């Protein structure tokens, strides 16, 4: 009897060791991790490019102090950017939405009220996006095709709901952190150090030092040979026959 008890304990220990070994392999083997990660639904963080091109984007949710100044700076360098705006911001500042559109910038959705989309049902997500899209279209005549999740939060059901509306969810791979009130020099250093071909850069329209940092960022990247395009021109469009995949990092790649 004692022999059987010892044998059972030995088998149990061996079983635990095997399970631990398998778990270690799964976590540390890139092929396994990649296969698991690709089951998630991901937005586009950046795009695989073999030449120096990028997009700069601004989120507009609350303040409006610097919008015209940003339009003037971008106009000076003949750069078109993408502005993700909240529907409630559109209600407050329709003249700024119109000014952005007339300056050639893309006006895309950042939700109607900056809600936490992970807590919304699919129906609520659809209603929220349509409400914002209606407001933007009423001013610009163009219905948004891109969406940025408030707070950068998303899960599979959010991404599926957005794509079911023929909209593409967009994140970023370069965060200026301008909302933390970093100095202009710190913002410039962060962006220029992290940009790579196909990057999407995140700014905010009412951050304290963004207008001060933006010219030096643009001039630095122009000197490096970069060109700037709106996000809709950066990403691959599956509706126009451009097959693509999105890898586990959120990089959109030609199929």
């Amino acid at each position: 009897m004692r022999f059987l008890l010892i044998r059972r304990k030995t088998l149990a220990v061996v079983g635990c060791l095997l399970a631990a070994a398998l778990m270690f392999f799964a976590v540390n083997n890139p092929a396994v991790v990649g296969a698991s990660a690709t089951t998630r639904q991901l937005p586009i963080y950046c795009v695989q490019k073999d030449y120096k091109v990028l997009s700069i984007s601004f989120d507009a949710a609350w303040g409006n102090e610097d919008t015209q100044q940003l339009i003037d700076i971008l106009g000076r360098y003949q750069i078109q950017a993408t502005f993700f705006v909240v529907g409630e911001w559109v209600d407050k500042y329709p003249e700024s939405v119109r000014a952005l559109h007339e300056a050639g910038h893309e006006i895309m959705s950042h939700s109607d009220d900056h809600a936490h989309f992970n807590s919304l049902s699919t129906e609520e997500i659809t209603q929220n996006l349509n409400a914002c899209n209606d407001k933007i279209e009423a001013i610009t005549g163009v219905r948004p095709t891109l969406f940025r999740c408030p707070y950068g939060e998303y899960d599979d059901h959010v991404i599926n709901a957005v794509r079911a509306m023929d909209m593409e969810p967009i994140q970023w791979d370069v965060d200026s952190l301008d909302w933390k009130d970093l100095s202009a020099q710190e913002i410039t250093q962060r962006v220029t150090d992290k940009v790579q071909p196909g990057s999407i850069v995140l700014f905010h329209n009412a951050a304290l030092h963004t207008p001060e940092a933006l010219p030096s960022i643009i001039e630095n990247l122009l000197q490096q040979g970069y060109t700037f395009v709106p996000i809709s021109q950066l990403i691959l469009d599956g509706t126009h026959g451009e097959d693509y995949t999105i890898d586990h990092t959120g990089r959109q790649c030609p199929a």
Side-chain angles (χ1 to χ4, degrees):
M1 178 66 71
R2 184 177 179 184
F3 172 77
L4 289 174
L5 288 174
I6 293 174
R7 184 176 176 81
R8 286 174 182 171
K9 288 180 180 179
T10 302
L11 289 172
V13 170
V14 171
C16 288
L17 289 173
L18 285 172
L22 287 171
M23 184 175 295
F24 177 84
F25 173 79
V27 170
N28 290 277
N29 186 290
V32 173
V33 172
S36 175
T38 53
T39 61
R40 290 187 63 203
Q41 296 297 311
L42 295 175
I44 296 173
Y45 282 75
C46 59
V47 183
Q48 180 181 311
K49 296 290 185 181
D50 57 6
Y51 56 96
K52 291 184 174 182
V53 61
L54 78 152
S55 294
I56 56 177
S57 63
F58 298 83
D59 287 357
W62 293 286
N64 193 39
E65 298 83 355
D66 302 324
T67 305
Q68 186 57 52
Q69 190 176 359
L70 295 174
I71 292 173
D72 294 340
I73 293 169
L74 293 168
R76 190 187 316 157
Y77 296 97
Q78 298 183 325
I79 289 172
Q80 294 178 326
T82 303
F83 284 77
F84 291 93
V85 303
V86 170
E88 292 180 348
W89 190 86
V90 176
D91 292 335
K92 293 179 181 178
Y93 310 110
E95 71 287 349
S96 291
V97 176
R98 187 172 294 107
L100 286 166
H101 175 67
E102 291 175 352
H105 302 295
E106 291 187 331
I107 316 295
M108 298 295 179
S109 173
H110 194 31
S111 82
D112 193 49
D113 54 2
H114 214 267
H116 290 275
F117 268 48
N118 287 5
S119 65
L120 301 182
S121 68
T122 297
E123 182 180 358
E124 288 171 330
I125 290 170
T126 302
Q127 292 174 347
N128 192 298
L129 291 182
N130 277 327
C132 181
N133 290 349
D134 289 345
K135 294 173 182 179
I136 294 171
E137 187 176 19
I139 295 174
T140 67
V142 180
R143 196 162 188 83
T145 57
L146 306 178
F147 169 66
R148 176 167 285 161
C149 294
Y151 310 102
E153 295 176 354
Y154 63 87
D155 57 19
D156 284 1
H157 102 278
V158 171
I159 301 304
N160 285 329
V162 173
R163 289 192 170 126
M165 298 179 65
D166 292 327
M167 297 184 72
E168 190 60 46
I170 302 293
Q171 291 285 93
W172 59 87
D173 67 323
V174 180
D175 189 347
S176 68
L177 293 183
D178 57 354
W179 59 273
K180 287 189 172 183
D181 293 343
L182 300 181
S183 69
Q185 182 177 357
E186 289 173 308
I187 294 171
T188 300
Q189 193 71 46
R190 276 190 59 83
V191 173
T192 55
D193 282 353
K194 294 178 181 297
V195 157
Q196 58 184 328
S199 280
I200 296 173
V201 186
L202 170 65
F203 295 101
H204 295 80
N205 75 307
L208 187 60
H209 297 295
T210 299
E212 182 184 353
L214 193 56
S216 60
I217 291 171
I218 292 172
E219 290 173 9
N220 182 295
L221 294 174
L222 286 172
Q223 289 173 2
Q224 291 186 45
Y226 277 94
T227 57
F228 298 76
V229 297
I231 293 175
S232 68
Q233 295 180 26
L234 182 76
I235 64 175
L236 303 170
D237 186 356
T239 62
H240 289 84
E242 295 179 295
D243 292 336
Y244 64 84
T245 60
I246 298 175
D247 70 15
H248 68 282
T249 68
R251 183 185 301 274
Q252 187 189 40
C253 308

